[in-house]
Amino acid sequence: MPHYGEPAPTGSEAGAESEVEVRIEAEAVARAAHAGQRDKAGRPYAGHLAAVAEGVRARGGDAELVAAAWLHDAIEDGVLSEEWLEEAPLPQRTKDVVRALTKRPGEELEAYAHRILATPGARLVKTADIAHNADPRRLAALDEPTARRLAHKYATMRAHLGLTPAD
């Protein structure tokens, strides 16, 4: 992946090798941006990002969607800015999916779900995100009220997106 100020690859240079570079660069940026951040159970947050990226890959997502999976919480969590995303040397599709998955303060779930459904690839990334977040082993590591609240939240989002618990 080119760094700031470098031209983007074109033609044959932009093939499979650049797809791998997009994924690797997104992973490196996400790991650095979320360094020191912990999930609700106290585990390194990068473990969640890795699981979502693997879930996207396992569901048939390409390198652009795997890159979006690595970055899916970065803007919402405030570890990267919208300005960073705008200037980042990422495919437009990756940026669009990250934006679609960034829940805005006070935003209703219906509006959030509508944006996800309207953005090609975003539903796949959100499916992997919910699958990991709602994993009973992850929920079991939380206190009962938090686990119950989150299980309800994920079930509601699944319904808005037309997903089943098996998705």
Side-chain angles (χ1 to χ4, degrees), residues 63-116:
E64 291 180 2
L65 293 180
V66 172
W70 278 105
L71 297 167
H72 79 277
D73 280 335
I75 307 301
E76 184 176 320
D77 288 355
V79 298
L80 294 173
S81 69
E82 173 60 39
E83 293 76 21
W84 176 88
L85 184 62
E86 182 63 33
E87 297 299 320
L90 294 167
Q92 189 61 49
R93 182 169 165 236
T94 299
K95 293 178 183 186
D96 291 345
V97 169
V98 171
R99 285 186 184 103
L101 296 173
T102 301
K103 189 168 184 302
R104 297 166 186 144
E107 183 175 32
E108 296 291 328
L109 278 182
E110 295 85 4
Y112 179 49
H114 180 73
R115 187 174 59 252
I116 290 169

Side-chain angles (χ1 to χ4, degrees), residues 46-56 70 128 132:
H48 169 64
L49 302 175
V52 175
E54 175 53 28
V56 167
W70 278 105
H132 186 249

Side-chain angles (χ1 to χ4, degrees), residues 33-44:
H34 289 277
Q37 189 178 5
R38 301 278 177 183
D39 67 14
K40 288 176 178 60
R43 295 178 288 239

